[in-house]
Coordinates of all heavy atoms in Angstrom, one line a residue:
M1 N 6.9 3.2 -13.5 CA 5.8 3.6 -12.7 C 4.7 4.4 -13.5 O 3.7 4.8 -13.0 CB 6.3 4.5 -11.6 CG 7.2 3.7 -10.6 SD 6.4 2.1 -10.2 CE 6.4 2.1 -8.5
D2 N 5.0 4.6 -14.8 CA 4.0 5.4 -15.6 C 3.0 4.5 -16.2 O 2.2 5.0 -17.0 CB 4.8 6.2 -16.6 CG 5.6 5.4 -17.6 OD1 5.8 4.2 -17.3 OD2 6.0 5.9 -18.6
R3 N 3.0 3.2 -16.0 CA 2.0 2.3 -16.6 C 1.0 2.0 -15.5 O 1.2 1.9 -14.4 CB 2.7 1.1 -17.1 CG 3.7 1.3 -18.2 CD 4.3 0.1 -18.6 NE 5.3 0.4 -19.6 CZ 6.2 -0.5 -20.0 NH1 6.1 -1.8 -19.6 NH2 7.1 -0.1 -20.9
E4 N -0.2 1.7 -16.0 CA -1.3 1.3 -15.1 C -1.0 -0.1 -14.6 O -0.5 -0.9 -15.3 CB -2.7 1.3 -15.9 CG -3.2 2.7 -16.2 CD -3.3 3.6 -14.9 OE1 -3.8 3.1 -13.9 OE2 -2.9 4.7 -15.0
S5 N -1.3 -0.3 -13.4 CA -1.0 -1.6 -12.7 C -2.2 -2.4 -12.5 O -3.3 -1.9 -12.6 CB -0.3 -1.3 -11.4 OG -1.1 -0.6 -10.5
R6 N -2.0 -3.6 -12.1 CA -3.1 -4.5 -11.8 C -3.6 -4.2 -10.4 O -2.8 -3.6 -9.6 CB -2.7 -6.0 -11.9 CG -2.4 -6.4 -13.3 CD -1.9 -7.8 -13.4 NE -2.7 -8.7 -12.7 CZ -2.3 -10.0 -12.3 NH1 -1.1 -10.3 -12.7 NH2 -3.0 -10.8 -11.6
D7 N -4.8 -4.6 -10.1 CA -5.3 -4.4 -8.7 C -4.4 -5.1 -7.7 O -4.1 -6.3 -7.9 CB -6.7 -4.9 -8.7 CG -7.3 -4.7 -7.3 OD1 -7.6 -3.6 -7.0 OD2 -7.5 -5.7 -6.6
T8 N -4.1 -4.4 -6.6 CA -3.2 -5.0 -5.6 C -3.8 -6.2 -5.0 O -3.1 -7.2 -4.7 CB -2.9 -4.0 -4.5 OG1 -2.5 -2.7 -5.2 CG2 -1.8 -4.4 -3.6
F9 N -5.1 -6.2 -4.7 CA -5.8 -7.4 -4.2 C -5.7 -8.6 -5.1 O -5.4 -9.8 -4.7 CB -7.2 -7.2 -3.8 CG -7.4 -6.2 -2.7 CD1 -7.9 -4.9 -2.9 CD2 -7.2 -6.6 -1.4 CE1 -8.1 -4.1 -1.8 CE2 -7.3 -5.8 -0.3 CZ -7.8 -4.5 -0.5
D10 N -5.8 -8.4 -6.4 CA -5.7 -9.4 -7.4 C -4.3 -10.0 -7.4 O -4.1 -11.2 -7.6 CB -6.0 -8.9 -8.8 CG -7.5 -8.6 -9.0 OD1 -8.3 -9.1 -8.2 OD2 -7.8 -7.9 -9.9
L11 N -3.2 -9.1 -7.3 CA -1.9 -9.6 -7.3 C -1.6 -10.5 -6.0 O -1.0 -11.5 -6.1 CB -0.9 -8.4 -7.3 CG -0.8 -7.6 -8.6 CD1 0.0 -6.4 -8.4 CD2 -0.2 -8.5 -9.7
L12 N -2.1 -10.1 -4.9 CA -1.9 -10.9 -3.7 C -2.6 -12.2 -3.8 O -2.0 -13.3 -3.4 CB -2.5 -10.1 -2.5 CG -1.7 -8.9 -2.0 CD1 -2.5 -8.1 -0.9 CD2 -0.3 -9.3 -1.5
D13 N -3.8 -12.2 -4.4 CA -4.5 -13.5 -4.6 C -3.8 -14.4 -5.6 O -3.7 -15.6 -5.3 CB -5.9 -13.1 -5.2 CG -6.8 -14.4 -5.2 OD1 -6.9 -15.1 -4.2 OD2 -7.5 -14.6 -6.3
E14 N -3.2 -13.8 -6.6 CA -2.5 -14.6 -7.6 C -1.2 -15.3 -6.9 O -0.9 -16.4 -7.2 CB -2.0 -13.8 -8.8 CG -1.3 -14.6 -9.8 CD -0.8 -13.7 -11.0 OE1 -1.5 -12.7 -11.3 OE2 0.2 -14.1 -11.7
I15 N -0.5 -14.5 -6.1 CA 0.7 -15.0 -5.4 C 0.2 -16.2 -4.5 O 0.9 -17.2 -4.5 CB 1.4 -13.9 -4.6 CG1 2.0 -12.9 -5.5 CG2 2.4 -14.5 -3.6 CD1 2.5 -11.6 -4.9
E16 N -0.9 -16.0 -3.8 CA -1.3 -17.0 -2.9 C -1.7 -18.3 -3.6 O -1.3 -19.4 -3.2 CB -2.5 -16.6 -2.1 CG -2.1 -15.6 -1.0 CD -3.3 -15.1 -0.1 OE1 -4.4 -15.5 -0.4 OE2 -3.0 -14.5 0.9
K17 N -2.4 -18.2 -4.7 CA -2.8 -19.3 -5.5 C -1.6 -20.0 -6.2 O -1.5 -21.2 -6.2 CB -3.8 -18.9 -6.5 CG -5.2 -18.6 -5.9 CD -6.2 -18.2 -6.9 CE -7.5 -17.9 -6.3 NZ -8.5 -17.4 -7.2
T18 N -0.7 -19.2 -6.8 CA 0.4 -19.8 -7.6 C 1.4 -20.4 -6.7 O 1.9 -21.5 -7.0 CB 1.0 -18.7 -8.5 OG1 0.0 -18.1 -9.3 CG2 2.2 -19.2 -9.3
L19 N 1.8 -19.8 -5.6 CA 2.8 -20.3 -4.8 C 2.4 -21.0 -3.6 O 3.2 -21.5 -2.8 CB 3.7 -19.1 -4.3 CG 4.4 -18.3 -5.5 CD1 5.2 -17.1 -4.9 CD2 5.3 -19.2 -6.3
A20 N 1.0 -21.1 -3.4 CA 0.4 -21.8 -2.2 C 1.0 -21.2 -0.9 O 1.4 -21.9 0.0 CB 0.7 -23.3 -2.3
L21 N 1.1 -19.9 -0.9 CA 1.5 -19.1 0.3 C 0.5 -18.2 0.8 O -0.2 -17.6 0.0 CB 2.8 -18.3 0.0 CG 4.1 -19.1 -0.4 CD1 5.1 -18.1 -0.9 CD2 4.6 -19.9 0.7
D22 N 0.5 -18.0 2.1 CA -0.4 -16.9 2.6 C 0.4 -15.6 2.5 O 1.6 -15.5 2.8 CB -0.8 -17.1 4.1 CG -1.7 -18.3 4.2 OD1 -2.5 -18.6 3.3 OD2 -1.7 -19.0 5.3
T23 N -0.2 -14.5 2.0 CA 0.4 -13.3 1.9 C -0.1 -12.3 2.9 O -1.3 -12.3 3.3 CB 0.3 -12.7 0.5 OG1 -1.1 -12.5 0.2 CG2 0.9 -13.6 -0.6
T24 N 0.8 -11.4 3.3 CA 0.4 -10.3 4.2 C 1.3 -9.1 3.8 O 2.5 -9.1 3.9 CB 0.7 -10.6 5.7 OG1 0.0 -11.8 6.0 CG2 0.3 -9.5 6.6
P25 N 0.6 -8.1 3.2 CA 1.4 -6.9 2.8 C 2.0 -6.1 4.0 O 1.3 -6.0 5.0 CB 0.4 -6.1 2.0 CG -0.9 -6.5 2.6 CD -0.8 -7.9 3.0
M26 N 3.1 -5.5 3.8 CA 3.7 -4.7 4.8 C 3.6 -3.2 4.4 O 3.6 -2.3 5.2 CB 5.2 -5.0 5.0 CG 5.5 -6.3 5.6 SD 4.7 -6.5 7.3 CE 5.8 -5.5 8.2
T27 N 3.4 -3.0 3.1 CA 3.2 -1.7 2.5 C 2.1 -1.7 1.5 O 1.7 -2.8 1.1 CB 4.5 -1.1 1.8 OG1 4.8 -2.0 0.7 CG2 5.6 -1.0 2.7
W28 N 1.5 -0.6 1.2 CA 0.4 -0.5 0.3 C 0.6 0.7 -0.6 O 1.0 1.7 -0.2 CB -0.9 -0.4 1.1 CG -2.1 -0.7 0.3 CD1 -3.0 0.1 -0.3 CD2 -2.6 -2.0 -0.1 NE1 -4.0 -0.6 -1.0 CE2 -3.7 -1.9 -0.9 CE3 -2.1 -3.3 0.2 CZ2 -4.4 -3.0 -1.3 CZ3 -2.8 -4.4 -0.2 CH2 -3.9 -4.2 -1.0
P29 N 0.3 0.5 -1.9 CA 0.5 1.6 -2.9 C -0.4 2.8 -2.7 O -1.6 2.5 -2.4 CB 0.3 1.0 -4.3 CG -0.6 -0.2 -4.0 CD -0.2 -0.7 -2.6
V30 N 0.1 4.0 -2.8 CA -0.8 5.2 -2.8 C -0.8 5.7 -4.2 O 0.1 6.2 -4.8 CB -0.2 6.2 -1.9 CG1 -1.0 7.5 -1.9 CG2 0.0 5.7 -0.5
G31 N -1.9 5.4 -4.9 CA -2.1 5.7 -6.3 C -1.6 4.6 -7.2 O -1.0 3.6 -6.8
R32 N -1.9 4.8 -8.5 CA -1.5 3.8 -9.5 C -1.1 4.5 -10.8 O -1.5 5.5 -11.1 CB -2.7 2.9 -9.9 CG -3.1 2.0 -8.8 CD -4.0 0.9 -9.3 NE -4.4 0.0 -8.2 CZ -5.6 -0.4 -8.0 NH1 -6.6 -0.1 -8.9 NH2 -5.9 -1.2 -7.0
G33 N -0.2 3.8 -11.5 CA 0.3 4.3 -12.8 C 0.8 5.7 -12.7 O 1.7 5.9 -11.8
R34 N 0.4 6.6 -13.5 CA 0.9 8.0 -13.5 C 0.5 8.7 -12.2 O 1.1 9.7 -11.8 CB 0.3 8.7 -14.6 CG 0.8 8.2 -16.0 CD 0.3 9.1 -17.1 NE 0.5 8.4 -18.4 CZ 1.6 8.6 -19.1 NH1 2.5 9.5 -18.7 NH2 1.7 8.0 -20.3
D35 N -0.5 8.2 -11.5 CA -0.9 8.8 -10.2 C -0.3 8.2 -9.0 O -0.6 8.5 -7.9 CB -2.4 8.7 -10.1 CG -3.2 9.5 -11.2 OD1 -2.6 10.5 -11.6 OD2 -4.2 9.0 -11.6
F36 N 0.7 7.3 -9.2 CA 1.4 6.7 -8.1 C 2.3 7.7 -7.3 O 3.1 8.4 -7.9 CB 2.3 5.5 -8.6 CG 3.0 4.8 -7.5 CD1 2.4 3.9 -6.7 CD2 4.4 5.0 -7.3 CE1 3.0 3.2 -5.7 CE2 5.1 4.3 -6.3 CZ 4.4 3.4 -5.5
L37 N 2.1 7.8 -6.0 CA 2.8 8.8 -5.2 C 3.8 8.2 -4.3 O 4.8 8.8 -3.9 CB 1.9 9.6 -4.3 CG 0.9 10.6 -5.1 CD1 0.0 11.3 -4.1 CD2 1.7 11.6 -5.9
G38 N 3.6 6.9 -3.9 CA 4.5 6.2 -3.0 C 3.8 5.1 -2.3 O 2.9 4.5 -2.9
T39 N 4.3 4.7 -1.1 CA 3.7 3.6 -0.4 C 3.4 4.0 1.0 O 4.0 4.8 1.6 CB 4.6 2.4 -0.4 OG1 5.9 2.8 0.2 CG2 4.9 1.9 -1.8
Y40 N 2.4 3.3 1.6 CA 1.9 3.5 2.9 C 2.4 2.3 3.7 O 2.2 1.1 3.4 CB 0.4 3.5 3.0 CG -0.2 3.7 4.3 CD1 -0.3 5.0 4.9 CD2 -0.6 2.6 5.1 CE1 -0.9 5.2 6.1 CE2 -1.2 2.8 6.3 CZ -1.3 4.1 6.9 OH -1.8 4.2 8.1
D41 N 3.1 2.5 4.8 CA 3.7 1.5 5.7 C 2.6 1.1 6.7 O 2.2 1.9 7.5 CB 4.9 2.0 6.4 CG 5.6 0.9 7.2 OD1 4.9 0.1 7.9 OD2 6.8 0.8 7.2
L42 N 2.0 -0.1 6.5 CA 0.9 -0.6 7.4 C 1.3 -0.7 8.8 O 0.4 -0.6 9.7 CB 0.4 -1.9 6.8 CG -0.3 -1.7 5.4 CD1 -0.5 -3.1 4.8 CD2 -1.6 -1.0 5.6
A43 N 2.5 -1.0 9.1 CA 3.0 -1.2 10.5 C 3.1 0.1 11.3 O 2.7 0.2 12.4 CB 4.3 -2.0 10.6
T44 N 3.6 1.1 10.6 CA 3.9 2.4 11.3 C 2.9 3.5 10.9 O 2.9 4.5 11.6 CB 5.3 2.9 11.0 OG1 5.4 3.2 9.6 CG2 6.4 1.8 11.3
G45 N 2.2 3.4 9.8 CA 1.3 4.4 9.4 C 2.0 5.5 8.6 O 1.4 6.5 8.3
G46 N 3.3 5.3 8.3 CA 4.1 6.3 7.6 C 3.9 6.2 6.1 O 3.5 5.1 5.6
V47 N 4.2 7.3 5.4 CA 4.1 7.3 3.9 C 5.4 7.6 3.3 O 6.1 8.5 3.8 CB 3.0 8.3 3.4 CG1 3.0 8.4 1.9 CG2 1.7 8.0 4.0
R48 N 5.9 6.8 2.4 CA 7.1 7.0 1.7 C 6.8 7.5 0.3 O 6.2 6.8 -0.5 CB 8.0 5.7 1.6 CG 8.5 5.3 2.9 CD 9.4 4.0 2.6 NE 9.9 3.5 3.9 CZ 11.0 4.0 4.5 NH1 11.7 4.9 3.9 NH2 11.4 3.5 5.6
L49 N 7.0 8.8 0.1 CA 6.7 9.4 -1.2 C 7.9 9.4 -2.2 O 9.0 9.3 -1.8 CB 6.4 10.9 -1.0 CG 5.2 11.2 -0.1 CD1 5.0 12.7 0.2 CD2 3.9 10.6 -0.7
L50 N 7.5 9.3 -3.5 CA 8.6 9.3 -4.5 C 9.3 10.7 -4.5 O 8.7 11.7 -4.3 CB 8.0 9.1 -5.9 CG 7.4 7.7 -6.1 CD1 6.7 7.7 -7.5 CD2 8.4 6.7 -6.0
E51 N 10.6 10.6 -4.7 CA 11.4 11.8 -4.8 C 12.3 11.7 -6.0 O 12.4 10.7 -6.7 CB 12.4 11.8 -3.6 CG 11.7 12.0 -2.3 CD 12.7 12.1 -1.1 OE1 13.9 11.7 -1.3 OE2 12.3 12.5 0.0
G52 N 12.9 12.8 -6.4 CA 13.9 12.9 -7.5 C 13.3 12.5 -8.8 O 13.9 11.7 -9.5
G53 N 12.1 13.0 -9.1 CA 11.5 12.6 -10.4 C 11.0 11.2 -10.4 O 10.8 10.6 -11.5
G54 N 10.7 10.6 -9.3 CA 10.2 9.2 -9.2 C 11.3 8.2 -9.2 O 11.0 7.0 -9.3
A55 N 12.5 8.5 -9.0 CA 13.6 7.6 -9.1 C 13.8 6.8 -7.8 O 14.3 5.7 -7.8 CB 14.9 8.3 -9.4
K56 N 13.3 7.3 -6.7 CA 13.5 6.7 -5.4 C 12.4 7.2 -4.4 O 11.8 8.2 -4.7 CB 14.9 6.9 -4.8 CG 15.2 8.3 -4.5 CD 16.5 8.5 -3.9 CE 16.8 10.0 -3.6 NZ 18.0 10.2 -2.9
T57 N 12.3 6.5 -3.3 CA 11.4 6.9 -2.3 C 12.2 7.5 -1.1 O 13.3 7.2 -0.9 CB 10.5 5.8 -1.7 OG1 11.4 4.8 -1.2 CG2 9.6 5.2 -2.7
G58 N 11.5 8.5 -0.5 CA 12.2 9.2 0.6 C 11.9 8.5 2.0 O 11.3 7.4 2.0
A59 N 12.3 9.1 3.0 CA 12.0 8.6 4.4 C 10.5 8.6 4.7 O 9.8 9.4 4.1 CB 12.8 9.4 5.4
A60 N 10.1 7.7 5.5 CA 8.7 7.6 5.9 C 8.3 8.9 6.7 O 9.0 9.4 7.5 CB 8.4 6.4 6.8
Q61 N 7.2 9.4 6.3 CA 6.6 10.6 6.9 C 5.2 10.3 7.4 O 4.5 9.5 6.9 CB 6.5 11.8 5.9 CG 7.8 12.1 5.2 CD 7.5 13.0 4.0 OE1 6.7 14.0 4.2 NE2 8.1 12.8 2.9
Q62 N 4.8 11.0 8.5 CA 3.5 10.9 9.0 C 2.6 11.9 8.3 O 2.6 13.1 8.7 CB 3.5 11.1 10.5 CG 4.2 10.0 11.3 CD 3.6 8.6 11.1 OE1 2.4 8.4 11.0 NE2 4.5 7.6 11.0
I63 N 2.0 11.4 7.3 CA 1.1 12.3 6.4 C -0.3 11.7 6.4 O -0.4 10.5 6.1 CB 1.7 12.5 5.0 CG1 3.1 13.0 5.0 CG2 0.7 13.3 4.1 CD1 3.7 13.0 3.6
D64 N -1.3 12.5 6.6 CA -2.6 12.0 6.4 C -2.9 11.8 4.9 O -2.5 12.6 4.1 CB -3.6 13.0 7.0 CG -5.1 12.5 7.0 OD1 -5.3 11.5 7.7 OD2 -5.9 13.1 6.2
I65 N -3.6 10.7 4.6 CA -3.9 10.3 3.2 C -4.6 11.4 2.6 O -4.4 11.7 1.4 CB -4.6 9.0 3.2 CG1 -3.8 7.8 3.7 CG2 -5.1 8.7 1.7 CD1 -2.5 7.6 3.0
A66 N -5.5 12.1 3.3 CA -6.3 13.2 2.7 C -5.4 14.3 2.2 O -5.7 15.0 1.2 CB -7.3 13.7 3.7
E67 N -4.3 14.6 2.9 CA -3.4 15.6 2.5 C -2.7 15.3 1.1 O -2.3 16.2 0.4 CB -2.3 15.8 3.5 CG -2.8 16.4 4.8 CD -1.7 16.5 5.9 OE1 -0.5 16.9 5.5 OE2 -1.9 16.2 7.0
L68 N -2.6 14.0 0.8 CA -2.0 13.7 -0.5 C -2.8 14.1 -1.7 O -2.2 14.2 -2.8 CB -1.7 12.2 -0.5 CG -0.7 11.7 0.6 CD1 -0.6 10.2 0.5 CD2 0.6 12.3 0.4
A69 N -4.1 14.3 -1.5 CA -4.9 14.7 -2.6 C -4.4 16.1 -3.2 O -4.6 16.3 -4.4 CB -6.4 14.8 -2.2
G70 N -3.8 16.9 -2.3 CA -3.3 18.2 -2.8 C -2.1 18.0 -3.7 O -1.8 18.9 -4.5
R71 N -1.5 16.8 -3.7 CA -0.3 16.6 -4.5 C -0.7 16.0 -5.9 O 0.1 16.1 -6.8 CB 0.7 15.6 -3.8 CG 1.2 16.2 -2.6 CD 2.1 15.2 -1.9 NE 2.6 15.7 -0.6 CZ 3.8 15.9 -0.3 NH1 4.8 15.7 -1.2 NH2 4.1 16.4 0.9
N72 N -1.9 15.4 -5.9 CA -2.4 14.9 -7.2 C -3.9 14.9 -7.2 O -4.5 14.1 -6.5 CB -1.8 13.4 -7.4 CG -2.2 12.9 -8.7 OD1 -3.2 13.2 -9.3 ND2 -1.3 12.0 -9.2
A73 N -4.5 15.7 -8.0 CA -5.9 15.8 -8.1 C -6.6 14.6 -8.5 O -7.8 14.4 -8.3 CB -6.3 17.0 -9.0
N74 N -5.9 13.7 -9.3 CA -6.5 12.5 -9.8 C -6.6 11.4 -8.7 O -7.2 10.3 -8.9 CB -5.8 11.9 -11.0 CG -5.8 12.9 -12.1 OD1 -6.9 13.5 -12.3 ND2 -4.8 13.0 -12.9
L75 N -5.9 11.6 -7.6 CA -5.9 10.6 -6.6 C -7.2 10.4 -5.9 O -7.9 11.3 -5.5 CB -4.8 11.0 -5.5 CG -4.4 9.9 -4.5 CD1 -3.6 8.8 -5.3 CD2 -3.5 10.5 -3.5
D76 N -7.7 9.1 -5.9 CA -9.0 8.8 -5.3 C -8.8 8.5 -3.8 O -8.5 7.3 -3.4 CB -9.6 7.6 -6.0 CG -11.1 7.3 -5.5 OD1 -11.5 7.9 -4.5 OD2 -11.7 6.6 -6.2
V77 N -8.8 9.5 -3.0 CA -8.5 9.4 -1.5 C -9.5 8.4 -0.9 O -9.1 7.6 0.0 CB -8.5 10.8 -0.8 CG1 -8.3 10.6 0.6 CG2 -7.4 11.6 -1.4
G78 N -10.7 8.5 -1.2 CA -11.8 7.7 -0.6 C -11.5 6.2 -0.9 O -11.6 5.4 0.0
A79 N -11.1 5.9 -2.1 CA -10.8 4.5 -2.4 C -9.5 4.0 -1.7 O -9.5 2.9 -1.2 CB -10.6 4.3 -3.9
I80 N -8.5 4.9 -1.6 CA -7.3 4.5 -0.8 C -7.6 4.2 0.6 O -7.2 3.3 1.2 CB -6.2 5.6 -1.0 CG1 -5.7 5.6 -2.5 CG2 -5.0 5.3 -0.1 CD1 -4.8 6.7 -2.8
K81 N -8.4 5.1 1.2 CA -8.8 4.9 2.6 C -9.5 3.6 2.8 O -9.3 2.9 3.8 CB -9.6 6.1 3.2 CG -8.8 7.3 3.4 CD -9.6 8.5 4.0 CE -8.8 9.7 4.4 NZ -9.6 10.7 5.0
E82 N -10.4 3.3 1.9 CA -11.2 2.1 2.0 C -10.3 0.9 1.9 O -10.5 -0.1 2.6 CB -12.3 2.1 0.9 CG -13.3 1.0 0.9 CD -14.3 1.1 -0.1 OE1 -14.9 2.2 -0.3 OE2 -14.6 0.1 -0.8
E83 N -9.4 0.9 0.9 CA -8.4 -0.2 0.8 C -7.6 -0.4 2.0 O -7.4 -1.5 2.5 CB -7.5 0.0 -0.4 CG -8.2 -0.2 -1.8 CD -7.3 0.0 -2.9 OE1 -6.1 0.4 -2.7 OE2 -7.7 -0.2 -4.1
L84 N -7.1 0.7 2.6 CA -6.3 0.6 3.8 C -7.1 0.1 4.9 O -6.5 -0.7 5.8 CB -5.7 2.0 4.1 CG -4.6 2.5 3.2 CD1 -4.2 4.0 3.5 CD2 -3.4 1.6 3.2
A85 N -8.3 0.4 5.1 CA -9.2 -0.1 6.1 C -9.3 -1.6 6.0 O -9.2 -2.4 6.9 CB -10.5 0.6 6.1
L86 N -9.6 -2.1 4.7 CA -9.7 -3.5 4.5 C -8.4 -4.3 4.8 O -8.4 -5.3 5.4 CB -10.1 -3.8 3.0 CG -11.5 -3.4 2.6 CD1 -11.7 -3.5 1.1 CD2 -12.5 -4.4 3.3
V87 N -7.3 -3.7 4.3 CA -6.0 -4.4 4.5 C -5.6 -4.4 6.0 O -5.2 -5.4 6.5 CB -4.9 -3.7 3.7 CG1 -3.5 -4.2 4.0 CG2 -5.2 -3.9 2.2
S88 N -5.9 -3.3 6.7 CA -5.5 -3.2 8.1 C -6.4 -4.2 8.9 O -5.9 -4.9 9.8 CB -5.8 -1.8 8.7 OG -4.9 -0.9 8.1
E89 N -7.6 -4.3 8.5 CA -8.5 -5.3 9.2 C -8.0 -6.7 9.0 O -8.0 -7.5 9.9 CB -10.0 -5.2 8.7 CG -10.9 -6.2 9.3 CD -11.1 -6.1 10.8 OE1 -10.9 -5.0 11.3 OE2 -11.4 -7.1 11.4
A90 N -7.7 -7.0 7.7 CA -7.2 -8.4 7.4 C -5.9 -8.6 8.1 O -5.7 -9.7 8.6 CB -7.0 -8.5 5.9
C91 N -5.0 -7.6 8.2 CA -3.7 -7.8 8.8 C -3.8 -8.0 10.3 O -3.0 -8.6 10.9 CB -2.8 -6.7 8.5 SG -2.3 -6.7 6.7
S92 N -4.8 -7.3 10.9 CA -5.0 -7.4 12.3 C -5.3 -8.8 12.8 O -5.1 -9.2 13.9 CB -6.1 -6.4 12.8 OG -7.3 -6.8 12.4
R93 N -5.9 -9.6 11.8 CA -6.2 -11.0 12.1 C -5.1 -11.9 11.6 O -5.2 -13.1 11.8 CB -7.5 -11.4 11.4 CG -8.7 -10.7 12.0 CD -10.0 -11.1 11.3 NE -10.3 -10.2 10.3 CZ -10.5 -10.4 9.0 NH1 -10.5 -11.7 8.6 NH2 -10.8 -9.5 8.1
S94 N -4.0 -11.4 11.1 CA -2.9 -12.3 10.6 C -1.7 -12.2 11.5 O -1.7 -11.5 12.5 CB -2.5 -11.8 9.2 OG -1.8 -10.6 9.3
S95 N -0.7 -13.0 11.2 CA 0.4 -13.1 12.0 C 1.4 -12.0 11.8 O 2.4 -11.9 12.6 CB 1.1 -14.4 11.8 OG 1.5 -14.5 10.5
W96 N 1.3 -11.1 10.8 CA 2.3 -10.1 10.6 C 2.4 -9.1 11.7 O 3.4 -8.5 12.0 CB 2.2 -9.4 9.3 CG 1.4 -8.2 8.9 CD1 0.6 -8.0 7.9 CD2 1.5 -6.9 9.5 NE1 0.1 -6.7 7.9 CE2 0.7 -6.0 8.9 CE3 2.2 -6.3 10.6 CZ2 0.5 -4.7 9.2 CZ3 2.0 -5.0 11.0 CH2 1.2 -4.2 10.2
R97 N 1.3 -8.9 12.4 CA 1.4 -8.0 13.6 C 2.4 -8.5 14.6 O 3.2 -7.8 15.2 CB 0.0 -7.8 14.3 CG -0.9 -7.1 13.4 CD -1.3 -5.8 14.1 NE -2.3 -5.1 13.3 CZ -2.2 -3.9 12.8 NH1 -1.1 -3.3 13.0 NH2 -3.1 -3.3 12.1
L98 N 2.4 -9.9 14.8 CA 3.4 -10.5 15.7 C 4.8 -10.3 15.1 O 5.8 -10.0 15.8 CB 3.1 -12.0 15.9 CG 1.8 -12.3 16.6 CD1 1.5 -13.8 16.6 CD2 1.8 -11.7 18.0
F99 N 4.9 -10.5 13.8 CA 6.2 -10.3 13.1 C 6.7 -8.9 13.2 O 7.8 -8.6 13.5 CB 6.1 -10.7 11.6 CG 7.3 -10.4 10.8 CD1 8.4 -11.2 10.9 CD2 7.3 -9.3 10.0 CE1 9.5 -10.9 10.2 CE2 8.4 -9.0 9.2 CZ 9.6 -9.8 9.3
A100 N 5.8 -7.9 13.0 CA 6.1 -6.5 13.1 C 6.6 -6.1 14.5 O 7.5 -5.3 14.6 CB 5.0 -5.6 12.6
R101 N 6.0 -6.7 15.5 CA 6.4 -6.4 16.9 C 7.8 -7.0 17.2 O 8.6 -6.5 18.0 CB 5.4 -6.9 17.9 CG 4.2 -6.1 17.9 CD 3.2 -6.7 19.0 NE 1.9 -6.2 18.7 CZ 0.8 -7.0 18.6 NH1 0.9 -8.2 18.9 NH2 -0.4 -6.5 18.3
A102 N 8.2 -8.1 16.5 CA 9.4 -8.8 16.8 C 10.6 -8.0 16.2 O 11.7 -8.2 16.6 CB 9.4 -10.2 16.3
I103 N 10.4 -7.2 15.1 CA 11.5 -6.5 14.5 C 11.7 -5.1 15.0 O 11.1 -4.6 15.8 CB 11.4 -6.5 13.0 CG1 10.1 -5.9 12.5 CG2 11.6 -7.9 12.4 CD1 10.0 -5.7 11.0

């Protein structure tokens, strides 16, 4: 987790093109590389933060994304909120909402 990662949208696009599958994320990364804090659950709005020196994630918590900036000054909260808005909008038009309700 200490390495810079590729853009999440690029990874989803590559999966769709390579495997000829439609993708719909269920979680979204909060931060990247050394600034990675955990994942945001798109279905519940919970955040799973890294624990134990980054070895595992904890239970989902209801934390406002803006509050996470206090945990890492390098975190671009505006960019994360913008990405989450884009992903949520795309997902609202996809079938995962039906899937999420079924489980």
Side-chain angles (χ1 to χ4, degrees):
M1 295 314 231
D2 61 343
R3 296 183 187 169
E4 289 304 313
S5 62
R6 291 178 48 199
D7 179 72
T8 310
F9 289 108
D10 289 342
L11 290 171
L12 291 171
D13 189 47
E14 182 179 333
I15 291 168
E16 287 184 350
K17 287 179 181 175
T18 303
L19 301 177
L21 295 172
D22 291 332
T23 60
T24 303
M26 294 298 288
T27 62
W28 198 257
V30 178
R32 289 195 182 137
R34 295 180 192 269
D35 297 325
F36 181 74
L37 294 178
T39 58
Y40 180 85
D41 186 318
L42 294 163
T44 66
V47 177
R48 292 183 181 272
L49 298 174
L50 291 178
E51 294 181 342
K56 62 179 183 173
T57 57
Q61 306 171 40
Q62 294 299 322
I63 301 173
D64 186 66
I65 297 298
E67 291 178 40
L68 295 175
R71 297 177 186 244
N72 187 326
N74 295 326
L75 194 64
D76 186 348
V77 174
I80 292 171
K81 285 183 174 184
E82 187 176 310
E83 287 181 355
L84 288 173
L86 287 170
V87 171
S88 294
E89 175 65 26
C91 290
S92 69
R93 289 182 267 128
S94 74
S95 60
W96 95 228
R97 291 242 184 240
L98 296 173
F99 173 75
R101 288 186 199 127
I103 53 173

